[in-house]
Structure formats: C-alpha cells, structure tokens
Coordinates of all heavy atoms in Angstrom, one line a residue:
T6 N 4.6 5.4 9.0 CA 4.5 6.0 7.7 C 3.2 6.9 7.7 O 2.2 6.5 8.1 CB 4.1 4.9 6.7 OG1 5.1 3.9 6.8 CG2 4.1 5.4 5.2
R7 N 3.4 8.1 7.2 CA 2.4 9.1 7.1 C 2.5 10.0 5.9 O 3.6 10.1 5.4 CB 2.3 10.0 8.4 CG 3.8 10.7 8.6 CD 3.7 11.2 10.0 NE 5.0 11.7 10.5 CZ 5.5 13.0 10.4 NH1 4.5 14.0 10.1 NH2 6.6 13.5 10.6
P8 N 1.4 10.7 5.6 CA 1.4 11.5 4.5 C 2.5 12.7 4.6 O 2.7 13.0 5.7 CB 0.1 12.0 4.3 CG -0.8 11.2 5.2 CD 0.1 10.6 6.2
V9 N 2.9 13.2 3.6 CA 3.9 14.3 3.5 C 3.0 15.6 3.5 O 2.0 15.6 2.9 CB 4.8 14.1 2.3 CG1 4.1 14.3 1.0 CG2 5.9 15.2 2.5
R10 N 3.5 16.6 4.1 CA 2.8 17.9 4.0 C 3.5 18.8 3.1 O 4.7 19.1 3.3 CB 2.8 18.6 5.4 CG 2.0 19.9 5.3 CD 1.2 20.2 6.5 NE 0.5 19.3 7.3 CZ -0.7 18.8 7.1 NH1 -1.4 19.3 6.1 NH2 -1.3 17.9 7.8
L11 N 2.9 19.2 2.1 CA 3.6 20.1 1.0 C 3.6 21.5 1.4 O 3.0 21.8 2.5 CB 2.6 20.1 -0.3 CG 2.4 18.6 -0.9 CD1 1.5 18.8 -2.2 CD2 3.7 17.9 -1.3
N12 N 4.4 22.3 0.8 CA 4.6 23.7 1.0 C 3.4 24.5 1.2 O 3.3 25.4 2.1 CB 5.7 24.4 0.1 CG 7.1 23.9 0.4 OD1 7.4 23.3 1.4 ND2 7.9 24.1 -0.7
S13 N 2.4 24.0 0.4 CA 1.1 24.7 0.4 C 0.2 24.3 1.6 O -1.0 24.8 1.8 CB 0.3 24.3 -0.9 OG 0.0 22.9 -0.9
G14 N 0.7 23.4 2.4 CA 0.0 22.9 3.5 C -1.0 21.7 3.3 O -1.5 21.1 4.2
I15 N -1.1 21.3 2.1 CA -1.9 20.1 1.6 C -1.2 18.8 2.0 O 0.0 18.7 1.9 CB -2.2 20.3 0.1 CG1 -3.1 21.4 -0.2 CG2 -2.8 19.0 -0.4 CD1 -3.2 21.7 -1.7
S16 N -1.9 17.9 2.6 CA -1.5 16.5 2.8 C -1.4 15.7 1.7 O -2.6 15.7 0.9 CB -2.2 16.1 4.0 OG -1.8 14.7 4.3
Y17 N -0.4 15.0 1.3 CA -0.2 14.2 0.1 C 0.2 12.9 0.4 O 1.1 12.7 1.1 CB 0.7 14.9 -1.0 CG 0.6 14.3 -2.3 CD1 -0.7 14.5 -3.2 CD2 1.5 13.6 -2.9 CE1 -0.8 14.1 -4.4 CE2 1.5 13.3 -4.3 CZ 0.2 13.5 -4.9 OH 0.1 13.0 -6.2
H18 N -0.5 11.8 0.0 CA -0.3 10.5 0.3 C 0.4 9.7 -0.8 O 0.3 8.7 -1.2 CB -1.7 9.7 0.4 CG -2.6 10.3 1.5 ND1 -2.4 9.9 2.9 CD2 -3.5 11.2 1.5 CE1 -3.3 10.6 3.6 NE2 -3.9 11.4 2.8
Y19 N 1.6 10.3 -1.0 CA 2.6 9.7 -2.1 C 4.0 10.1 -1.7 O 4.3 11.3 -1.4 CB 2.1 10.2 -3.4 CG 3.1 9.7 -4.6 CD1 2.7 8.4 -5.1 CD2 4.1 10.3 -5.1 CE1 3.6 7.9 -6.1 CE2 4.9 9.8 -6.1 CZ 4.6 8.6 -6.6 OH 5.4 8.1 -7.6
G20 N 4.9 9.3 -1.8 CA 6.4 9.4 -1.7 C 7.3 8.4 -2.0 O 7.0 7.1 -1.8
L21 N 8.3 8.8 -2.8 CA 9.2 7.8 -3.3 C 8.7 6.6 -4.1 O 9.0 5.4 -4.0 CB 10.0 7.3 -2.1 CG 11.0 8.3 -1.3 CD1 11.6 7.6 -0.2 CD2 11.8 9.0 -2.3
G22 N 7.7 6.9 -4.8 CA 7.0 6.0 -5.7 C 5.9 5.2 -5.0 O 5.2 4.3 -5.7
W23 N 5.6 5.4 -3.8 CA 4.5 4.7 -3.1 C 3.4 5.6 -2.6 O 3.6 6.7 -2.0 CB 5.2 4.1 -1.6 CG 6.2 3.1 -1.9 CD1 7.6 3.3 -1.8 CD2 6.0 1.8 -2.2 NE1 8.2 2.1 -2.3 CE2 7.3 1.2 -2.5 CE3 4.9 1.0 -2.6 CZ2 7.5 -0.1 -2.9 CZ3 5.1 -0.3 -2.9 CH2 6.3 -0.9 -3.0
Y24 N 2.2 4.9 -2.7 CA 1.0 5.7 -2.3 C 0.7 5.1 -0.9 O 0.9 4.0 -0.7 CB -0.2 5.4 -3.3 CG -0.1 6.2 -4.6 CD1 0.4 5.5 -5.7 CD2 -0.5 7.5 -4.6 CE1 0.5 6.2 -6.9 CE2 -0.5 8.2 -5.8 CZ 0.1 7.6 -7.0 OH 0.2 8.3 -8.1
L25 N 0.1 6.0 0.0 CA -0.3 5.5 1.3 C -1.8 5.4 1.2 O -2.4 6.2 0.7 CB 0.1 6.5 2.4 CG 1.7 6.9 2.5 CD1 1.7 8.0 3.4 CD2 2.4 5.7 2.6
R26 N -2.3 4.4 1.9 CA -3.9 4.2 1.8 C -4.4 5.4 2.5 O -4.0 5.8 3.6 CB -4.2 3.0 2.6 CG -3.8 1.7 2.0 CD -4.6 1.5 0.6 NE -6.0 1.6 0.7 CZ -6.7 1.9 -0.3 NH1 -6.3 2.3 -1.4 NH2 -8.1 2.0 0.0
D27 N -5.3 6.1 1.9 CA -6.0 7.2 2.5 C -7.3 6.8 3.2 O -8.3 7.5 3.2 CB -6.4 8.2 1.4 CG -6.7 9.6 1.8 OD1 -6.5 9.8 3.1 OD2 -7.3 10.3 1.0
S28 N -7.2 5.6 4.0 CA -8.4 5.2 4.6 C -8.2 5.0 6.0 O -8.9 4.1 6.8 CB -8.9 3.9 3.9 OG -7.9 3.0 4.1
G29 N -7.4 5.7 6.6 CA -7.0 5.5 8.1 C -6.1 4.3 8.4 O -5.9 3.9 9.5
K30 N -5.6 3.7 7.3 CA -4.7 2.6 7.6 C -3.4 2.9 6.9 O -3.1 2.4 5.7 CB -5.4 1.3 7.0 CG -6.6 1.0 7.6 CD -7.4 -0.1 6.9 CE -8.6 -0.5 7.6 NZ -9.5 0.5 7.9
P31 N -2.6 3.8 7.6 CA -1.3 4.2 6.9 C -0.1 3.2 6.8 O 0.9 3.5 6.2 CB -0.8 5.4 8.0 CG -1.4 4.9 9.2 CD -2.8 4.3 8.9
D32 N -0.2 2.0 7.4 CA 0.8 1.1 7.2 C 0.6 0.2 6.0 O 1.3 -0.7 5.7 CB 0.7 0.1 8.4 CG 1.3 0.9 9.7 OD1 2.0 1.9 9.5 OD2 1.1 0.3 10.8
I33 N -0.3 0.6 5.1 CA -0.6 -0.1 3.9 C -0.1 0.9 2.8 O -0.6 2.0 2.6 CB -2.0 -0.5 3.6 CG1 -2.3 -1.7 4.7 CG2 -2.2 -1.2 2.3 CD1 -3.7 -2.1 4.8
V34 N 0.9 0.4 1.9 CA 1.4 1.2 0.8 C 1.1 0.4 -0.5 O 1.1 -0.8 -0.5 CB 2.8 1.5 0.9 CG1 3.1 2.5 2.2 CG2 3.6 0.2 1.0
Y35 N 1.1 1.1 -1.6 CA 0.9 0.4 -3.0 C 1.4 1.3 -4.0 O 1.7 2.5 -3.9 CB -0.6 0.2 -3.2 CG -1.4 1.5 -3.3 CD1 -1.7 1.9 -4.6 CD2 -2.0 2.1 -2.3 CE1 -2.5 3.1 -4.9 CE2 -2.7 3.3 -2.5 CZ -3.0 3.7 -3.8 OH -3.7 4.9 -4.0
H36 N 1.7 0.7 -5.1 CA 2.0 1.3 -6.4 C 1.4 0.5 -7.5 O 1.4 -0.7 -7.5 CB 3.6 1.3 -6.4 CG 4.1 2.1 -7.7 ND1 4.3 3.4 -7.7 CD2 4.3 1.6 -8.9 CE1 4.7 3.8 -8.9 NE2 4.8 2.7 -9.6
T37 N 0.9 1.2 -8.5 CA 0.4 0.6 -9.7 C 1.2 1.1 -10.9 O 1.9 2.1 -11.0 CB -1.1 1.0 -9.9 OG1 -1.2 2.5 -10.1 CG2 -1.9 0.6 -8.7
G38 N 1.0 0.3 -12.0 CA 1.7 0.7 -13.3 C 1.0 0.1 -14.5 O 0.3 -0.9 -14.4
T39 N 1.3 0.8 -15.6 CA 0.7 0.3 -16.9 C 1.8 0.4 -18.0 O 2.8 1.2 -17.7 CB -0.5 0.9 -17.3 OG1 -0.2 2.3 -17.5 CG2 -1.7 0.8 -16.4
T40 N 1.7 -0.2 -19.0 CA 2.6 -0.1 -20.2 C 1.7 0.2 -21.4 O 0.5 -0.1 -21.4 CB 3.4 -1.3 -20.5 OG1 2.6 -2.4 -21.0 CG2 4.3 -1.7 -19.3
S41 N 2.2 0.8 -22.4 CA 1.5 1.0 -23.6 C 1.0 -0.2 -24.3 O 0.2 -0.1 -25.2 CB 2.4 1.9 -24.7 OG 3.5 1.2 -25.0
A42 N 1.6 -1.4 -24.0 CA 1.2 -2.6 -24.6 C 0.0 -3.1 -24.0 O -0.5 -4.3 -24.3 CB 2.4 -3.7 -24.6
G43 N -0.4 -2.6 -22.8 CA -1.6 -3.0 -22.1 C -1.3 -3.8 -20.9 O -2.3 -4.3 -20.2
F44 N -0.1 -4.0 -20.3 CA 0.1 -4.7 -19.2 C -0.1 -3.9 -18.1 O 0.2 -2.6 -18.1 CB 1.7 -5.3 -19.1 CG 2.0 -6.2 -20.4 CD1 2.6 -5.8 -21.3 CD2 1.5 -7.5 -20.2 CE1 3.0 -6.6 -22.4 CE2 1.8 -8.4 -21.3 CZ 2.5 -7.9 -22.3
R45 N -0.7 -4.3 -17.0 CA -1.1 -3.6 -15.7 C -0.7 -4.3 -14.6 O -0.6 -5.6 -14.6 CB -2.6 -3.3 -15.8 CG -3.0 -2.5 -16.9 CD -4.5 -2.3 -16.9 NE -4.9 -1.4 -17.9 CZ -6.0 -0.7 -18.0 NH1 -6.8 -0.7 -17.0 NH2 -6.3 0.1 -19.0
S46 N -0.3 -3.6 -13.6 CA 0.2 -4.2 -12.3 C -0.2 -3.4 -11.0 O -0.4 -2.2 -11.1 CB 1.7 -4.4 -12.4 OG 2.4 -3.1 -12.3
A47 N -0.3 -4.1 -9.9 CA -0.4 -3.5 -8.7 C 0.5 -4.2 -7.6 O 0.6 -5.4 -7.7 CB -1.9 -3.6 -8.2
Y48 N 1.1 -3.5 -6.7 CA 2.0 -3.9 -5.7 C 1.5 -3.4 -4.4 O 1.3 -2.1 -4.3 CB 3.4 -3.5 -5.9 CG 4.4 -4.0 -4.9 CD1 5.3 -5.1 -5.2 CD2 4.4 -3.5 -3.6 CE1 6.2 -5.5 -4.1 CE2 5.3 -3.8 -2.7 CZ 6.2 -5.0 -3.0 OH 7.1 -5.5 -2.0
L49 N 0.9 -4.1 -3.5 CA 0.3 -3.7 -2.3 C 1.1 -4.4 -1.2 O 1.2 -5.6 -1.0 CB -1.2 -4.0 -2.3 CG -2.0 -3.5 -1.1 CD1 -3.4 -3.1 -1.7 CD2 -2.2 -4.5 0.0
R50 N 1.4 -3.6 -0.1 CA 2.2 -4.2 1.0 C 1.6 -3.7 2.2 O 1.5 -2.4 2.5 CB 3.7 -3.9 0.8 CG 4.5 -4.5 2.0 CD 5.9 -4.6 1.7 NE 6.7 -5.0 2.7 CZ 7.0 -6.3 3.1 NH1 6.5 -7.2 2.3 NH2 7.8 -6.5 4.0
D51 N 1.4 -4.6 3.3 CA 1.0 -4.2 4.6 C 2.3 -4.2 5.2 O 2.9 -5.3 5.7 CB 0.1 -5.2 5.2 CG -0.2 -4.8 6.6 OD1 0.3 -4.0 7.3 OD2 -1.3 -5.4 7.1
L52 N 2.8 -3.0 5.8 CA 4.3 -2.9 6.5 C 4.1 -3.5 7.9 O 5.0 -3.9 8.4 CB 4.6 -1.5 6.6 CG 4.7 -0.7 5.3 CD1 5.0 0.7 5.5 CD2 5.7 -1.4 4.4
G53 N 2.8 -3.6 8.5 CA 2.8 -4.1 9.8 C 3.0 -5.6 9.9 O 3.6 -6.2 10.7
S54 N 2.3 -6.3 8.9 CA 2.4 -7.7 8.9 C 3.4 -8.4 7.9 O 3.7 -9.5 8.1 CB 1.0 -8.4 8.4 OG 0.7 -8.0 7.2
G55 N 3.8 -7.4 7.0 CA 4.9 -7.9 6.0 C 4.2 -8.7 4.9 O 4.9 -9.1 4.0
I56 N 2.8 -8.8 4.8 CA 2.1 -9.4 3.8 C 2.2 -8.5 2.4 O 1.8 -7.3 2.5 CB 0.7 -9.7 4.1 CG1 0.7 -10.8 5.2 CG2 -0.1 -10.2 2.8 CD1 -0.7 -11.2 5.7
T57 N 2.5 -9.1 1.4 CA 2.6 -8.4 0.0 C 1.8 -9.0 -0.8 O 1.6 -10.3 -1.0 CB 4.1 -8.4 -0.4 OG1 4.8 -7.6 0.5 CG2 4.1 -7.7 -1.8
V58 N 1.0 -8.3 -1.7 CA 0.1 -8.8 -2.7 C 0.6 -8.2 -4.1 O 0.7 -7.0 -4.2 CB -1.3 -8.6 -2.7 CG1 -2.1 -9.0 -3.9 CG2 -1.9 -9.1 -1.5
I59 N 1.0 -8.9 -5.1 CA 1.5 -8.5 -6.4 C 0.6 -9.1 -7.4 O 0.4 -10.3 -7.5 CB 2.9 -8.9 -6.6 CG1 3.9 -8.3 -5.6 CG2 3.4 -8.4 -8.1 CD1 5.2 -8.9 -5.7
F60 N -0.1 -8.1 -8.2 CA -1.0 -8.5 -9.2 C -0.5 -8.1 -10.6 O -0.3 -6.8 -10.8 CB -2.4 -8.0 -8.8 CG -3.4 -8.5 -9.9 CD1 -4.1 -9.7 -9.7 CD2 -3.8 -7.6 -10.9 CE1 -5.0 -10.1 -10.7 CE2 -4.8 -7.9 -11.8 CZ -5.4 -9.3 -11.6
L61 N -0.4 -9.0 -11.5 CA 0.1 -8.6 -12.8 C -1.1 -9.2 -13.7 O -1.6 -10.3 -13.6 CB 1.4 -9.4 -13.1 CG 2.5 -9.3 -12.2 CD1 3.7 -10.1 -12.5 CD2 2.9 -7.7 -12.2
C62 N -1.2 -8.3 -14.7 CA -2.3 -8.8 -15.8 C -1.9 -8.2 -17.2 O -1.2 -7.3 -17.3 CB -3.8 -8.4 -15.5 SG -4.1 -6.7 -15.5
N63 N -2.3 -9.0 -18.2 CA -1.9 -8.6 -19.5 C -3.2 -8.2 -20.3 O -3.1 -8.3 -21.6 CB -1.2 -9.6 -20.3 CG -1.9 -11.0 -20.4 OD1 -2.9 -11.1 -19.9 ND2 -1.3 -12.0 -21.2
A64 N -4.2 -7.9 -19.5 CA -5.5 -7.6 -20.3 C -5.4 -6.0 -20.6 O -5.2 -5.2 -19.8 CB -6.6 -7.9 -19.5
S65 N -5.8 -5.7 -21.8 CA -5.8 -4.3 -22.2 C -7.3 -3.9 -22.3 O -8.1 -4.8 -22.5 CB -5.1 -3.9 -23.5 OG -5.7 -4.8 -24.7
G66 N -7.5 -2.6 -22.3 CA -8.9 -2.1 -22.4 C -9.4 -1.7 -21.0 O -8.7 -1.8 -20.1
D67 N -10.6 -1.0 -21.2 CA -11.1 -0.4 -20.0 C -11.8 -1.6 -19.2 O -12.0 -2.6 -19.6 CB -12.2 0.4 -20.4 CG -11.7 1.7 -21.1 OD1 -10.5 2.0 -20.9 OD2 -12.4 2.3 -21.9
G68 N -11.9 -1.2 -17.9 CA -12.6 -2.2 -17.0 C -11.6 -3.1 -16.2 O -12.0 -3.8 -15.2
V69 N -10.4 -3.2 -16.5 CA -9.4 -4.0 -15.8 C -8.5 -3.0 -15.0 O -7.7 -2.3 -15.5 CB -8.5 -4.9 -16.7 CG1 -7.5 -5.6 -15.9 CG2 -9.4 -5.7 -17.6
E70 N -8.8 -3.1 -13.7 CA -8.1 -2.3 -12.7 C -7.5 -3.1 -11.8 O -8.1 -3.8 -10.9 CB -9.0 -1.1 -12.1 CG -9.7 -0.2 -13.0 CD -8.5 0.8 -13.6 OE1 -7.5 1.0 -13.1 OE2 -8.8 1.1 -14.7
P71 N -6.1 -3.3 -11.8 CA -5.4 -4.2 -10.8 C -5.5 -3.8 -9.4 O -5.5 -4.8 -8.5 CB -4.0 -4.2 -11.4 CG -3.8 -2.9 -12.1 CD -5.2 -2.5 -12.5
L72 N -5.6 -2.5 -9.0 CA -5.6 -2.2 -7.6 C -6.7 -2.8 -6.8 O -6.6 -3.4 -5.8 CB -5.4 -0.8 -7.4 CG -5.2 -0.4 -5.8 CD1 -4.0 -1.0 -5.2 CD2 -5.1 1.2 -5.6
P73 N -8.0 -2.7 -7.3 CA -9.2 -3.2 -6.6 C -9.0 -4.8 -6.5 O -9.4 -5.3 -5.3 CB -10.4 -2.8 -7.5 CG -10.0 -1.5 -8.1 CD -8.5 -1.8 -8.4
I74 N -8.4 -5.3 -7.5 CA -8.2 -6.8 -7.4 C -7.3 -7.1 -6.3 O -7.5 -8.1 -5.4 CB -7.9 -7.3 -8.8 CG1 -9.0 -7.1 -9.7 CG2 -7.6 -8.8 -8.6 CD1 -8.7 -7.5 -11.2
A75 N -6.1 -6.4 -6.3 CA -5.0 -6.7 -5.3 C -5.6 -6.4 -3.8 O -5.4 -7.2 -2.9 CB -3.8 -5.8 -5.5
E76 N -6.5 -5.3 -3.7 CA -7.2 -5.0 -2.5 C -8.0 -6.1 -1.9 O -8.1 -6.5 -0.7 CB -7.9 -3.8 -2.5 CG -7.0 -2.6 -2.7 CD -7.7 -1.2 -2.8 OE1 -8.8 -1.2 -3.6 OE2 -7.3 -0.1 -2.3
T77 N -8.7 -6.7 -2.9 CA -9.6 -7.9 -2.6 C -8.8 -9.1 -2.1 O -9.2 -9.7 -1.0 CB -10.5 -8.3 -3.8 OG1 -11.3 -7.2 -4.1 CG2 -11.4 -9.4 -3.5
I78 N -7.8 -9.3 -2.7 CA -6.9 -10.4 -2.3 C -6.3 -10.2 -0.9 O -6.2 -10.9 0.0 CB -5.7 -10.7 -3.3 CG1 -6.5 -11.2 -4.7 CG2 -4.8 -11.6 -2.8 CD1 -5.5 -11.2 -5.8
A79 N -6.0 -8.8 -0.7 CA -5.3 -8.5 0.6 C -6.5 -8.6 1.6 O -5.9 -9.1 2.8 CB -4.9 -7.0 0.5
R80 N -7.6 -8.4 1.5 CA -8.7 -8.5 2.5 C -8.7 -10.0 3.0 O -9.0 -10.2 4.2 CB -10.0 -8.1 2.0 CG -10.1 -6.6 1.9 CD -11.4 -6.0 1.6 NE -11.5 -4.7 1.3 CZ -11.4 -4.2 -0.1 NH1 -11.4 -5.0 -1.0 NH2 -11.3 -2.9 -0.2
M81 N -8.4 -10.9 2.2 CA -8.4 -12.2 2.6 C -7.4 -12.7 3.6 O -7.5 -13.6 4.3 CB -8.2 -13.3 1.4 CG -9.3 -13.0 0.3 SD -9.0 -14.3 -1.0 CE -9.7 -13.4 -2.4
Y82 N -6.2 -11.9 3.7 CA -5.2 -12.3 4.4 C -4.8 -11.2 5.5 O -4.2 -11.5 6.6 CB -3.9 -12.4 3.5 CG -4.0 -13.6 2.7 CD1 -4.4 -13.4 1.3 CD2 -3.9 -14.9 3.1 CE1 -4.7 -14.3 0.5 CE2 -4.0 -15.9 2.1 CZ -4.4 -15.7 0.9 OH -4.5 -16.9 0.0
I83 N -5.2 -9.9 5.3 CA -4.8 -8.9 6.3 C -6.1 -8.4 7.0 O -6.9 -7.7 6.4 CB -4.2 -7.7 5.4 CG1 -3.1 -8.1 4.6 CG2 -3.8 -6.7 6.5 CD1 -2.4 -7.1 3.7
E84 N -6.2 -9.0 8.2 CA -7.4 -8.7 8.9 C -7.8 -7.3 9.1 O -8.8 -6.7 9.1 CB -7.4 -9.3 10.3 CG -8.6 -9.3 11.2 CD -8.5 -10.1 12.4 OE1 -8.1 -11.1 12.4 OE2 -8.8 -9.4 13.5
R85 N -6.7 -6.4 9.5 CA -6.8 -5.0 9.8 C -7.2 -4.1 8.6 O -7.3 -3.0 8.6 CB -5.7 -4.5 10.6 CG -4.4 -4.5 9.9 CD -3.2 -4.3 10.9 NE -2.0 -4.1 10.2 CZ -1.5 -2.9 9.9 NH1 -2.1 -1.9 10.3 NH2 -0.3 -2.9 9.2
Y86 N -6.9 -4.7 7.4 CA -7.2 -3.9 6.1 C -8.7 -3.8 5.9 O -9.0 -2.9 5.2 CB -6.6 -4.9 5.0 CG -6.6 -4.1 3.7 CD1 -5.5 -3.2 3.3 CD2 -7.6 -4.3 2.7 CE1 -5.6 -2.4 2.2 CE2 -7.6 -3.6 1.5 CZ -6.6 -2.7 1.3 OH -6.6 -2.1 0.0
Q87 N -9.5 -4.6 6.5 CA -10.9 -4.6 6.3 C -11.7 -3.3 7.0 O -11.4 -2.7 7.8 CB -11.6 -5.8 6.7 CG -10.9 -6.9 5.9 CD -11.5 -8.3 6.4 OE1 -12.5 -8.3 6.8 NE2 -11.0 -9.3 5.9

C-alpha cells in the first residue's frame, strides 16, 4: 500500500475511503467519521498483522477525537506501530 501521486505531482495518502499513515508505516490504514447527531468513529487496520481497532463513541462536542484513542489502543497490540 502506498500513497497515490496526483496529476500535479503531489503525493496524497488517501484512496477509496482509506487514509494511509503518513508516518513511514504504510501498512496501516484508517477511516474516521462523524454524524450530525454527535456520533464519532475510527476504524484502524494494520494490514500486515490483520489487527483491527474500531472505536465508536456518542460524545458530542469538542475534545473527543476517536483516531488518537484508536491509535493508543493499536499501540498496545501492534508492535511495529510504535
């Protein structure tokens, strides 16, 4: 898995709904989402190990970001993620 190169020559770490980690670990992909009702989610998958972290929350308001929480959980199980 690698970033796509746009016609402008810029490298972009997104494709088919998945973001690629931009930290030298291209086998880790993720997607986040929110709803107008305040639900938030993060789906993070390590393609190398097959480990997946799905984080769902119903907290609305600022300060609740599901991706950093999912990344913290992933670090507990994916050694190469660190």
Side-chain angles (χ1 to χ4, degrees):
T6 308
R7 59 191 168 103
V9 66
R10 181 146 327 265
L11 302 177
N12 290 338
S13 65
I15 296 172
S16 180
Y17 196 63
H18 298 272
Y19 181 82
L21 299 175
W23 295 101
Y24 287 95
L25 307 176
R26 290 299 301 153
D27 191 15
S28 61
K30 297 171 178 53
D32 290 341
I33 295 174
V34 297
Y35 68 95
H36 186 81
T37 60
T39 61
T40 67
S41 60
F44 299 103
R45 296 178 180 206
S46 64
Y48 181 107
L49 186 142
R50 181 165 177 84
D51 179 347
L52 302 176
S54 69
I56 293 174
T57 300
V58 176
I59 300 171
F60 182 81
L61 308 170
C62 66
N63 62 353
S65 60
D67 294 333
V69 179
E70 294 296 331
L72 185 58
I74 297 169
E76 291 175 323
T77 299
I78 295 168
R80 283 186 195 97
M81 293 181 213
Y82 297 97
I83 305 171
E84 181 176 317
R85 64 194 188 98
Y86 187 83
Q87 299 179 18

